[in-house]
Amino acid sequence: MDIFVVDAFTDQHFKGNSAAIIPVTTFPDASLMQRIAAENNLSETAFIKPTGDNTYAIRWFSPLTEIDFCGHATLPSAFVLYQFYQLKGEITFTTEQVGTLTVKQATNGNIEMNFPCQPGEEVEPPATLLKGLSIAPIKVLKNRQAYIAVLPNEQAVHDVICDSELLKQLAPHDIVVTAQSSQYDFVSRYFWPANGGYEDPVTGSIHTALAPYWAQQLNKRELTAYQASQRGGVLHCKMIEDDRIIISGSAVLYLRGKVYL
């Protein structure tokens, strides 16, 4: 099988978030796809299968489990199809959990992904969450994917330390911390000890919750976000409807090869 490793939400090698992309004609057994993802040991491995003209079914696997929704591996999936499979125009990805996702390439080369918004609702923070973060949030929201902890300021996002063993108890939910930024509109960090690892470098899917929140707080429809992991990544977010958002970014190829089984 062909395999591509692409750094997403960056135009530099060794930045952003790496994803492995494996185009297939039929999906292998789920247990095999999981073993391949574990062997790749990247945040995500995406398998894409053609189902029609410019239409692909997509499935995402972390090293630990199949993931319902992954933005950062969708971007390089489209990048690979545009760069190496001569696709033009809009690409449709069909998913099992979040419906239809459409993707196109902008004139500046960025990949634009049209996603459903998944806003969070304010909740009383679980005691485990409060104990698991070294800095107390000023507000906590929750959506289908994660708890969203709003921290007092940007520096707190950089400084916060999480206790993985405690935060694992919040499974199946992950934890994202966020704050308004001086250089960008907002910053975040994403922890997913129950589903993937300690910290995800850049997480496209959670911006379907973060961007609607900050759009309301800042009264803006277009926002620039920075995920402040060790690798770091920039995401451009545009609210296009109350329930849809475009998240865009760049990508760079790191590896092209073969998987032999």
Side-chain angles (χ1 to χ4, degrees):
M1 294 183 289
D2 290 330
I3 185 171
F4 304 81
V5 177
V6 179
D7 293 336
F9 295 115
T10 182
D11 57 5
Q12 303 176 54
H13 286 117
F14 316 119
K15 299 289 186 180
N17 200 355
S18 292
I21 311 303
I22 300 180
V24 295
T25 53
T26 59
F27 284 129
D29 183 80
S31 63
L32 177 58
M33 290 191 284
Q34 185 61 70
R35 291 197 297 270
I36 292 170
E39 185 81 1
N40 290 338
N41 199 30
L42 298 170
S43 290
E44 230 73 53
T45 295
F47 295 83
I48 53 175
K49 179 187 77 169
T51 57
D53 292 340
N54 275 38
T55 302
Y56 286 76
I58 186 167
R59 293 175 69 178
W60 309 279
F61 290 79
S62 82
L64 300 180
T65 187
E66 186 167 5
I67 300 298
D68 287 351
F69 179 31
C70 175
H72 101 266
T74 303
L75 190 155
S77 294
F79 174 85
V80 165
L81 292 172
Y82 287 131
Q83 296 294 318
F84 299 101
Y85 290 80
Q86 291 75 54
L87 263 67
K88 305 290 184 183
E90 187 174 85
I91 299 171
T92 298
F93 290 109
T94 58
T95 76
E96 295 183 355
Q97 299 294 330
V98 290
T100 298
L101 312 174
T102 56
V103 180
K104 64 181 181 180
Q105 191 164 32
T107 54
N108 64 1
N110 279 1
I111 305 294
E112 297 182 345
M113 302 178 290
N114 187 322
F115 286 162
C117 291
Q118 300 189 111
E121 294 185 358
E122 190 168 357
V123 295
E124 188 69 25
T128 302
L129 186 149
L130 297 177
K131 292 178 182 177
L133 296 176
S134 64
I135 298 174
I138 59 174
K139 183 189 298 185
V140 174
L141 301 91
K142 180 184 178 184
N143 77 348
R144 66 188 296 273
Q145 177 177 342
Y147 286 95
I148 301 154
V150 182
L151 297 190
N153 53 59
E154 182 174 5
Q155 191 59 47
V157 172
H158 291 277
D159 293 344
V160 70
I161 299 169
C162 85
D163 184 323
S164 292
E165 292 306 311
L166 281 175
L167 296 183
K168 276 183 182 179
Q169 298 176 33
L170 299 173
H173 288 85
D174 301 322
I175 302 90
V176 62
V177 297
T178 187
Q180 189 175 350
S181 169
S182 55
Q183 182 177 356
Y184 305 92
D185 289 302
F186 64 93
V187 295
S188 67
R189 290 172 66 196
Y190 192 89
F191 303 100
W192 60 330
N195 294 306
Y198 177 75
E199 183 173 358
D200 194 39
V202 190
T203 315
S205 58
I206 198 57
H207 285 75
T208 63
L210 293 174
Y213 172 78
W214 286 112
Q216 184 178 48
Q217 297 297 310
L218 303 176
N219 195 27
K220 298 179 69 173
R221 302 288 291 180
E222 297 187 35
L223 306 101
T224 302
Y226 181 70
Q227 193 154 329
S229 65
Q230 185 175 2
R231 291 172 63 99
V234 177
L235 307 91
H236 302 281
C237 307
K238 182 179 181 180
M239 304 297 299
I240 53 173
E241 300 173 26
D242 289 341
D243 61 348
R244 304 293 299 187
I245 182 173
I246 290 176
I247 297 176
S248 62
S250 54
V252 59
L253 179 71
Y254 172 70
L255 177 151
R256 181 183 185 185
K258 294 282 186 180
V259 174
Y260 294 93
L261 298 174

